[in-house]
Short mmCIF file of all heavy atoms in Angstrom, two decimals:
data_model
loop_
_atom_site.label_atom_id
_atom_site.label_comp_id
_atom_site.label_asym_id
_atom_site.label_seq_id
_atom_site.Cartn_x
_atom_site.Cartn_y
_atom_site.Cartn_z
N ASN A 1 -63.50 235.25 229.84
CA ASN A 1 -62.85 234.93 231.11
C ASN A 1 -63.77 234.32 232.15
O ASN A 1 -63.45 234.34 233.32
CB ASN A 1 -62.21 236.18 231.71
CG ASN A 1 -61.39 236.91 230.72
OD1 ASN A 1 -60.70 236.31 229.93
ND2 ASN A 1 -61.47 238.23 230.75
N PHE A 2 -64.91 233.82 231.76
CA PHE A 2 -65.86 233.32 232.75
C PHE A 2 -65.73 231.82 232.94
O PHE A 2 -65.78 231.05 232.01
CB PHE A 2 -67.29 233.65 232.35
CG PHE A 2 -68.30 233.18 233.36
CD1 PHE A 2 -68.39 233.82 234.58
CD2 PHE A 2 -69.11 232.10 233.10
CE1 PHE A 2 -69.31 233.39 235.52
CE2 PHE A 2 -70.02 231.67 234.05
CZ PHE A 2 -70.13 232.31 235.26
N SER A 3 -65.54 231.45 234.16
CA SER A 3 -65.55 230.06 234.56
C SER A 3 -66.18 230.05 235.95
O SER A 3 -65.58 230.57 236.89
CB SER A 3 -64.14 229.49 234.59
OG SER A 3 -64.15 228.20 235.14
N PRO A 4 -67.39 229.52 236.11
CA PRO A 4 -68.08 229.63 237.40
C PRO A 4 -67.25 229.17 238.59
O PRO A 4 -67.26 229.80 239.64
CB PRO A 4 -69.31 228.73 237.21
CG PRO A 4 -69.53 228.67 235.74
CD PRO A 4 -68.16 228.79 235.13
N GLU A 5 -66.50 228.08 238.44
CA GLU A 5 -65.72 227.60 239.58
C GLU A 5 -64.55 228.50 239.91
O GLU A 5 -64.08 228.54 241.04
CB GLU A 5 -65.25 226.15 239.38
CG GLU A 5 -64.39 225.91 238.17
CD GLU A 5 -65.17 225.62 236.88
OE1 GLU A 5 -66.40 225.69 236.89
OE2 GLU A 5 -64.50 225.36 235.88
N LEU A 6 -64.04 229.26 238.94
CA LEU A 6 -62.93 230.18 239.20
C LEU A 6 -63.41 231.55 239.66
O LEU A 6 -62.74 232.22 240.43
CB LEU A 6 -62.06 230.34 237.96
CG LEU A 6 -61.26 229.13 237.54
CD1 LEU A 6 -60.51 229.43 236.24
CD2 LEU A 6 -60.27 228.74 238.61
N GLU A 7 -64.54 231.99 239.17
CA GLU A 7 -65.00 233.34 239.45
C GLU A 7 -65.26 233.58 240.94
O GLU A 7 -65.14 234.69 241.41
CB GLU A 7 -66.27 233.66 238.65
CG GLU A 7 -66.02 233.83 237.18
CD GLU A 7 -65.05 234.94 236.86
OE1 GLU A 7 -65.15 236.04 237.43
OE2 GLU A 7 -64.16 234.72 236.04
N ARG A 8 -65.60 232.55 241.69
CA ARG A 8 -65.86 232.73 243.12
C ARG A 8 -64.64 233.27 243.84
O ARG A 8 -64.75 234.10 244.72
CB ARG A 8 -66.27 231.38 243.74
CG ARG A 8 -67.64 230.93 243.34
CD ARG A 8 -67.99 229.69 244.16
NE ARG A 8 -67.03 228.62 243.91
CZ ARG A 8 -67.26 227.58 243.12
NH1 ARG A 8 -68.41 227.46 242.52
NH2 ARG A 8 -66.34 226.65 242.95
N ASP A 9 -63.46 232.79 243.46
CA ASP A 9 -62.24 233.16 244.17
C ASP A 9 -61.43 234.25 243.48
O ASP A 9 -60.46 234.73 244.03
CB ASP A 9 -61.34 231.92 244.33
CG ASP A 9 -62.05 230.83 245.11
OD1 ASP A 9 -62.83 231.16 246.01
OD2 ASP A 9 -61.82 229.64 244.79
N ARG A 10 -61.81 234.64 242.30
CA ARG A 10 -61.02 235.58 241.52
C ARG A 10 -61.37 237.01 241.91
O ARG A 10 -62.52 237.41 241.84
CB ARG A 10 -61.28 235.37 240.03
CG ARG A 10 -60.43 236.25 239.17
CD ARG A 10 -60.66 235.97 237.71
NE ARG A 10 -60.03 234.71 237.37
CZ ARG A 10 -60.24 234.06 236.25
NH1 ARG A 10 -61.10 234.51 235.38
NH2 ARG A 10 -59.61 232.93 235.99
N ILE A 11 -60.34 237.78 242.32
CA ILE A 11 -60.59 239.16 242.68
C ILE A 11 -59.89 240.14 241.75
O ILE A 11 -60.25 241.30 241.69
CB ILE A 11 -60.17 239.45 244.14
CG1 ILE A 11 -58.71 239.11 244.36
CG2 ILE A 11 -61.06 238.73 245.12
CD1 ILE A 11 -58.15 239.52 245.71
N GLU A 12 -58.89 239.67 241.02
CA GLU A 12 -58.16 240.58 240.14
C GLU A 12 -58.92 240.80 238.84
O GLU A 12 -59.72 239.97 238.41
CB GLU A 12 -56.74 240.08 239.85
CG GLU A 12 -56.64 239.01 238.80
CD GLU A 12 -56.86 237.59 239.32
OE1 GLU A 12 -57.09 237.40 240.51
OE2 GLU A 12 -56.82 236.67 238.49
N CYS A 13 -58.64 241.91 238.23
CA CYS A 13 -59.24 242.26 236.94
C CYS A 13 -58.42 241.60 235.83
O CYS A 13 -57.20 241.57 235.89
CB CYS A 13 -59.24 243.77 236.78
SG CYS A 13 -59.92 244.32 235.22
N ARG A 14 -59.10 241.10 234.83
CA ARG A 14 -58.42 240.48 233.70
C ARG A 14 -58.66 241.34 232.46
O ARG A 14 -59.77 241.79 232.22
CB ARG A 14 -58.92 239.07 233.47
CG ARG A 14 -58.57 238.16 234.61
CD ARG A 14 -58.82 236.71 234.23
NE ARG A 14 -58.16 235.80 235.13
CZ ARG A 14 -56.89 235.45 235.07
NH1 ARG A 14 -56.12 235.93 234.16
NH2 ARG A 14 -56.38 234.61 235.92
N SER A 15 -57.61 241.51 231.67
CA SER A 15 -57.71 242.25 230.42
C SER A 15 -57.61 241.26 229.27
O SER A 15 -56.67 240.48 229.21
CB SER A 15 -56.57 243.26 230.31
OG SER A 15 -56.62 244.18 231.37
N ASN A 16 -58.59 241.29 228.38
CA ASN A 16 -58.55 240.41 227.21
C ASN A 16 -57.48 240.90 226.26
O ASN A 16 -57.54 242.01 225.75
CB ASN A 16 -59.90 240.42 226.48
CG ASN A 16 -61.00 239.84 227.32
OD1 ASN A 16 -60.76 238.92 228.10
ND2 ASN A 16 -62.20 240.36 227.19
N ARG A 17 -56.47 240.06 226.03
CA ARG A 17 -55.39 240.38 225.10
C ARG A 17 -54.95 239.09 224.42
O ARG A 17 -54.70 238.09 225.09
CB ARG A 17 -54.17 240.96 225.83
CG ARG A 17 -54.40 242.28 226.51
CD ARG A 17 -54.61 243.41 225.49
NE ARG A 17 -54.75 244.68 226.13
CZ ARG A 17 -55.88 245.19 226.60
NH1 ARG A 17 -56.99 244.50 226.51
NH2 ARG A 17 -55.91 246.38 227.15
N VAL A 18 -54.85 239.13 223.11
CA VAL A 18 -54.34 237.99 222.35
C VAL A 18 -52.94 238.36 221.89
O VAL A 18 -52.76 239.21 221.03
CB VAL A 18 -55.26 237.66 221.15
CG1 VAL A 18 -54.68 236.51 220.35
CG2 VAL A 18 -56.67 237.34 221.63
N ILE A 19 -51.94 237.72 222.53
CA ILE A 19 -50.54 238.02 222.27
C ILE A 19 -49.80 236.69 222.12
O ILE A 19 -49.96 235.80 222.95
CB ILE A 19 -49.92 238.80 223.46
CG1 ILE A 19 -50.70 240.08 223.73
CG2 ILE A 19 -48.45 239.10 223.20
CD1 ILE A 19 -50.32 240.74 225.05
N PRO A 20 -48.97 236.55 221.09
CA PRO A 20 -48.17 235.33 221.01
C PRO A 20 -47.11 235.32 222.11
O PRO A 20 -46.56 236.37 222.49
CB PRO A 20 -47.52 235.40 219.63
CG PRO A 20 -47.55 236.84 219.26
CD PRO A 20 -48.71 237.46 219.97
N ALA A 21 -46.84 234.13 222.64
CA ALA A 21 -45.86 233.99 223.71
C ALA A 21 -45.13 232.66 223.55
O ALA A 21 -45.61 231.75 222.89
CB ALA A 21 -46.54 234.07 225.07
N LEU A 22 -43.98 232.58 224.18
CA LEU A 22 -43.19 231.35 224.21
C LEU A 22 -43.37 230.73 225.59
O LEU A 22 -43.16 231.39 226.61
CB LEU A 22 -41.71 231.65 223.96
CG LEU A 22 -40.75 230.48 224.11
CD1 LEU A 22 -41.01 229.42 223.05
CD2 LEU A 22 -39.31 230.96 224.06
N LEU A 23 -43.73 229.45 225.62
CA LEU A 23 -43.93 228.71 226.86
C LEU A 23 -42.93 227.56 226.91
O LEU A 23 -42.84 226.78 225.96
CB LEU A 23 -45.36 228.17 226.92
CG LEU A 23 -45.73 227.29 228.10
CD1 LEU A 23 -45.73 228.09 229.39
CD2 LEU A 23 -47.10 226.65 227.86
N CYS A 24 -42.17 227.48 228.00
CA CYS A 24 -41.22 226.38 228.20
C CYS A 24 -41.39 225.82 229.60
O CYS A 24 -41.56 226.59 230.56
CB CYS A 24 -39.77 226.87 228.09
SG CYS A 24 -39.25 227.37 226.45
N PRO A 25 -41.31 224.51 229.76
CA PRO A 25 -41.21 223.98 231.12
C PRO A 25 -39.95 224.53 231.77
O PRO A 25 -38.94 224.76 231.09
CB PRO A 25 -41.10 222.47 230.90
CG PRO A 25 -41.65 222.23 229.53
CD PRO A 25 -41.32 223.46 228.75
N TRP A 26 -39.98 224.74 233.07
CA TRP A 26 -38.82 225.23 233.81
C TRP A 26 -38.34 224.09 234.69
O TRP A 26 -39.05 223.65 235.60
CB TRP A 26 -39.22 226.44 234.65
CG TRP A 26 -38.09 227.09 235.37
CD1 TRP A 26 -37.82 227.01 236.70
CD2 TRP A 26 -37.09 227.94 234.81
NE1 TRP A 26 -36.71 227.75 237.01
CE2 TRP A 26 -36.24 228.33 235.86
CE3 TRP A 26 -36.81 228.40 233.53
CZ2 TRP A 26 -35.14 229.17 235.67
CZ3 TRP A 26 -35.73 229.23 233.34
CH2 TRP A 26 -34.90 229.61 234.39
N ARG A 27 -37.15 223.58 234.39
CA ARG A 27 -36.62 222.42 235.11
C ARG A 27 -35.15 222.66 235.45
O ARG A 27 -34.39 223.16 234.61
CB ARG A 27 -36.70 221.17 234.25
CG ARG A 27 -38.10 220.74 233.95
CD ARG A 27 -38.09 219.53 233.09
NE ARG A 27 -39.43 219.01 232.99
CZ ARG A 27 -39.72 217.82 232.53
NH1 ARG A 27 -38.75 217.03 232.12
NH2 ARG A 27 -40.96 217.42 232.48
N ASN A 28 -34.77 222.31 236.66
CA ASN A 28 -33.38 222.44 237.10
C ASN A 28 -32.82 223.83 236.86
O ASN A 28 -31.73 224.00 236.33
CB ASN A 28 -32.50 221.38 236.43
CG ASN A 28 -33.00 219.97 236.69
OD1 ASN A 28 -33.38 219.66 237.81
ND2 ASN A 28 -33.03 219.16 235.66
N ASP A 29 -33.64 224.84 237.17
CA ASP A 29 -33.24 226.24 237.07
C ASP A 29 -32.90 226.67 235.64
O ASP A 29 -32.03 227.52 235.42
CB ASP A 29 -32.05 226.51 238.00
CG ASP A 29 -31.92 227.99 238.34
OD1 ASP A 29 -32.96 228.68 238.42
OD2 ASP A 29 -30.77 228.46 238.49
N ALA A 30 -33.59 226.07 234.66
CA ALA A 30 -33.35 226.43 233.25
C ALA A 30 -34.58 226.06 232.41
O ALA A 30 -35.34 225.17 232.78
CB ALA A 30 -32.12 225.70 232.71
N PRO A 31 -34.77 226.76 231.28
CA PRO A 31 -35.89 226.40 230.40
C PRO A 31 -35.60 225.09 229.65
O PRO A 31 -34.48 224.86 229.22
CB PRO A 31 -35.97 227.57 229.43
CG PRO A 31 -34.60 228.15 229.41
CD PRO A 31 -34.01 227.89 230.77
N ASP A 32 -36.62 224.25 229.54
CA ASP A 32 -36.51 223.02 228.76
C ASP A 32 -36.96 223.35 227.33
O ASP A 32 -38.14 223.21 227.01
CB ASP A 32 -37.37 221.93 229.39
CG ASP A 32 -37.29 220.60 228.66
OD1 ASP A 32 -36.65 220.53 227.59
OD2 ASP A 32 -37.89 219.63 229.16
N ILE A 33 -36.02 223.79 226.50
CA ILE A 33 -36.39 224.26 225.17
C ILE A 33 -36.83 223.14 224.24
O ILE A 33 -37.51 223.39 223.25
CB ILE A 33 -35.27 225.11 224.51
CG1 ILE A 33 -34.02 224.29 224.30
CG2 ILE A 33 -35.00 226.35 225.32
CD1 ILE A 33 -33.00 224.99 223.44
N GLU A 34 -36.47 221.92 224.55
CA GLU A 34 -36.89 220.79 223.71
C GLU A 34 -38.41 220.62 223.76
O GLU A 34 -39.00 220.07 222.84
CB GLU A 34 -36.20 219.49 224.14
CG GLU A 34 -34.70 219.51 223.97
CD GLU A 34 -34.28 219.71 222.52
OE1 GLU A 34 -34.91 219.12 221.63
OE2 GLU A 34 -33.32 220.47 222.29
N ARG A 35 -39.03 221.10 224.82
CA ARG A 35 -40.48 220.93 224.99
C ARG A 35 -41.20 222.28 224.96
O ARG A 35 -42.25 222.43 225.59
CB ARG A 35 -40.74 220.16 226.27
CG ARG A 35 -40.12 218.75 226.19
CD ARG A 35 -40.35 217.88 227.38
NE ARG A 35 -41.71 217.91 227.86
CZ ARG A 35 -42.03 218.16 229.14
NH1 ARG A 35 -41.10 218.40 230.02
NH2 ARG A 35 -43.29 218.16 229.50
N HIS A 36 -40.66 223.22 224.23
CA HIS A 36 -41.28 224.55 224.14
C HIS A 36 -42.57 224.48 223.31
O HIS A 36 -42.79 223.53 222.56
CB HIS A 36 -40.32 225.56 223.51
CG HIS A 36 -40.23 225.45 222.03
ND1 HIS A 36 -39.42 224.53 221.40
CD2 HIS A 36 -40.89 226.12 221.04
CE1 HIS A 36 -39.57 224.66 220.10
NE2 HIS A 36 -40.45 225.61 219.86
N ALA A 37 -43.37 225.53 223.46
CA ALA A 37 -44.59 225.68 222.65
C ALA A 37 -44.82 227.17 222.43
O ALA A 37 -44.54 227.99 223.30
CB ALA A 37 -45.79 225.06 223.35
N PHE A 38 -45.34 227.50 221.28
CA PHE A 38 -45.81 228.85 221.04
C PHE A 38 -47.30 228.85 221.37
O PHE A 38 -48.04 227.97 220.93
CB PHE A 38 -45.57 229.28 219.59
CG PHE A 38 -44.12 229.50 219.30
CD1 PHE A 38 -43.38 228.56 218.61
CD2 PHE A 38 -43.47 230.64 219.76
CE1 PHE A 38 -42.04 228.74 218.36
CE2 PHE A 38 -42.12 230.83 219.52
CZ PHE A 38 -41.41 229.89 218.82
N VAL A 39 -47.71 229.81 222.16
CA VAL A 39 -49.08 229.87 222.65
C VAL A 39 -49.63 231.27 222.41
O VAL A 39 -48.90 232.19 222.04
CB VAL A 39 -49.13 229.52 224.16
CG1 VAL A 39 -48.58 228.11 224.41
CG2 VAL A 39 -48.37 230.54 225.00
N LEU A 40 -50.92 231.42 222.65
CA LEU A 40 -51.56 232.73 222.62
C LEU A 40 -52.16 233.03 223.98
O LEU A 40 -52.71 232.12 224.63
CB LEU A 40 -52.70 232.75 221.59
CG LEU A 40 -52.29 232.67 220.13
CD1 LEU A 40 -53.53 232.56 219.24
CD2 LEU A 40 -51.47 233.88 219.73
N THR A 41 -52.02 234.26 224.42
CA THR A 41 -52.72 234.65 225.63
C THR A 41 -54.18 234.86 225.28
O THR A 41 -54.50 235.21 224.13
CB THR A 41 -52.16 235.96 226.23
OG1 THR A 41 -52.37 237.01 225.30
CG2 THR A 41 -50.69 235.83 226.58
N ARG A 42 -55.04 234.64 226.23
CA ARG A 42 -56.44 235.01 226.05
C ARG A 42 -56.79 236.16 226.98
O ARG A 42 -57.67 236.95 226.72
CB ARG A 42 -57.38 233.83 226.21
CG ARG A 42 -57.43 233.23 227.58
CD ARG A 42 -58.38 232.09 227.67
NE ARG A 42 -59.61 232.53 228.31
CZ ARG A 42 -60.58 231.73 228.65
NH1 ARG A 42 -60.50 230.46 228.41
NH2 ARG A 42 -61.64 232.19 229.24
N ASP A 43 -56.07 236.22 228.10
CA ASP A 43 -56.22 237.35 229.02
C ASP A 43 -54.97 237.45 229.89
O ASP A 43 -54.18 236.52 230.00
CB ASP A 43 -57.47 237.22 229.88
CG ASP A 43 -57.56 235.92 230.65
OD1 ASP A 43 -56.55 235.53 231.27
OD2 ASP A 43 -58.62 235.30 230.65
N ILE A 44 -54.82 238.64 230.47
CA ILE A 44 -53.68 238.91 231.34
C ILE A 44 -54.21 239.63 232.58
O ILE A 44 -55.06 240.52 232.46
CB ILE A 44 -52.62 239.78 230.62
CG1 ILE A 44 -52.06 239.01 229.42
CG2 ILE A 44 -51.51 240.20 231.57
CD1 ILE A 44 -51.08 239.80 228.58
N SER A 45 -53.72 239.23 233.74
CA SER A 45 -54.10 239.90 234.98
C SER A 45 -52.86 240.53 235.60
O SER A 45 -51.78 240.52 235.01
CB SER A 45 -54.73 238.89 235.96
OG SER A 45 -53.75 238.01 236.45
N SER A 46 -52.98 241.02 236.81
CA SER A 46 -51.84 241.67 237.46
C SER A 46 -50.73 240.69 237.83
O SER A 46 -49.59 241.09 238.02
CB SER A 46 -52.31 242.41 238.71
OG SER A 46 -52.92 241.51 239.61
N ASP A 47 -51.05 239.40 237.93
CA ASP A 47 -50.01 238.44 238.31
C ASP A 47 -50.14 237.11 237.57
O ASP A 47 -49.65 236.08 238.05
CB ASP A 47 -50.01 238.20 239.82
CG ASP A 47 -51.30 237.56 240.32
OD1 ASP A 47 -52.26 237.43 239.54
OD2 ASP A 47 -51.34 237.18 241.49
N GLY A 48 -50.75 237.13 236.41
CA GLY A 48 -50.88 235.88 235.67
C GLY A 48 -51.43 236.08 234.28
O GLY A 48 -51.61 237.20 233.81
#
């Protein structure tokens, strides 16, 4: 989770977790499933 330019402003704690997730663009108040992707988390914080 180290990135020098981000660490200056980051105050929340991050937990390293590798979890599969579904990512979709959000357009016009709905998921754009045509452009979905399966991704992996590398870390999770309290709000991201």
